[in-house]
């Protein structure tokens, strides 16, 4: 297959999605290390501890962070499996944010919105991955419509000697 040569591939959304997944992965990596070192405890306004076993959450966040950073790198290199993994991770995170909605409604709402934007960026139909085939590449067209005489009306005369524009019929 040929490489995509069109300038309009929606790469901006893919870069946005990869950047957001990388940022989330980096934060999860840092939070995982902090939880393993017992630096963090999540407490509500009522002094209720939400997470008691920080070792489990530390290892979970550490592993998630590594997978998310790897997924972001794979999205930037055009791997299709990474797009699907990113969609799954963001979908799971959006659903998980519903559990925190009662405690942190504003933050949960923002994260759900960001998850939906990342999913949109990964599922755009015009965001072609690398090494995909572009059926109508702009660089392969030798003449545009304005370069062809049948569209510009120049150098053509009809049967009665009048100039006419448009393609031959």
């Amino acid at each position: 297959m040929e490489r995509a040569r069109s300038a309009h591939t929606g790469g901006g959304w893919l870069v946005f999605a990869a950047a957001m997944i990388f940022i989330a992965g980096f934060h999860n990596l840092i939070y995982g290390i902090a939880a393993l070192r017992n630096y963090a405890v999540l407490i509500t306004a009522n002094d209720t501890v939400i997470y008691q076993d920080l070792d489990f959450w530390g290892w979970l966040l550490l592993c998630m962070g590594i997978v998310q950073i790897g997924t972001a790198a794979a999205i930037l290199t055009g791997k299709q499996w990474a797009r699907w993994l990113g969609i799954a991770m963001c979908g799971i995170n959006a659903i998980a944010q519903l559990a925190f909605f009662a405690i942190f409604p504003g933050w949960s709402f923002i994260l759900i919105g960001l998850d939906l934007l990342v999913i949109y960026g990964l599922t755009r139909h015009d965001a072609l991955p690398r090494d995909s085939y572009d059926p109508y590449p702009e660089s392969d067209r030798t003449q545009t419509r304005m370069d062809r005489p049948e569209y510009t009306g120049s150098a053509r005369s009809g049967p009665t000697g009048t100039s006419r524009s448009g393609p031959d019929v």
Side-chain angles (χ1 to χ4, degrees):
M1 293 187 129
E2 293 182 24
R3 295 180 67 86
R5 290 182 297 265
S6 178
H8 181 60
T9 60
W13 279 103
L14 282 179
V15 172
F16 168 77
M20 288 289 109
I21 291 173
F22 177 81
I23 290 169
F26 185 74
H27 280 98
N28 284 336
L29 191 71
I30 298 299
Y31 290 149
I33 292 169
L36 288 174
R37 308 280 270 150
N38 290 326
Y39 289 135
V41 177
L42 186 58
I43 300 175
T44 66
N46 303 345
D47 293 330
T48 305
V49 176
I50 295 176
Y51 301 131
Q52 293 178 353
D53 185 12
L54 290 181
D55 286 337
F56 168 75
W57 288 104
W59 284 110
L60 180 70
L61 289 173
L62 189 71
C63 292
M64 280 179 50
I66 292 169
V67 169
Q68 286 173 324
I69 290 172
T71 301
I75 288 171
L76 289 177
T77 60
K79 306 292 185 213
Q80 187 68 23
W81 62 265
R83 294 173 82 175
W84 286 107
L85 185 58
I87 291 167
M89 284 189 299
C90 288
I92 291 169
N93 187 46
I95 293 169
Q97 287 303 319
L98 295 175
F100 297 103
F101 204 76
I103 302 167
F104 305 114
W107 185 242
S108 294
F109 185 73
I110 289 170
L111 288 178
I112 290 170
L114 281 174
D115 285 331
L116 292 177
L117 281 176
V118 169
I119 290 171
Y120 173 73
L122 293 173
T123 58
R124 279 181 54 108
H125 69 281
D126 62 343
L128 298 173
R130 289 187 189 176
D131 297 329
S132 63
Y133 176 71
D134 188 4
Y136 303 109
E138 293 292 327
S139 62
D140 283 352
R141 294 184 187 161
T142 56
Q143 288 183 325
T144 63
R145 285 187 172 203
M146 299 310 293
D147 294 338
R148 295 171 44 190
E150 61 263 20
Y151 285 103
T152 59
S154 61
R156 293 272 334 221
S157 295
T160 60
T162 60
S163 176
R164 63 181 186 151
S165 62
D168 291 334
V169 182

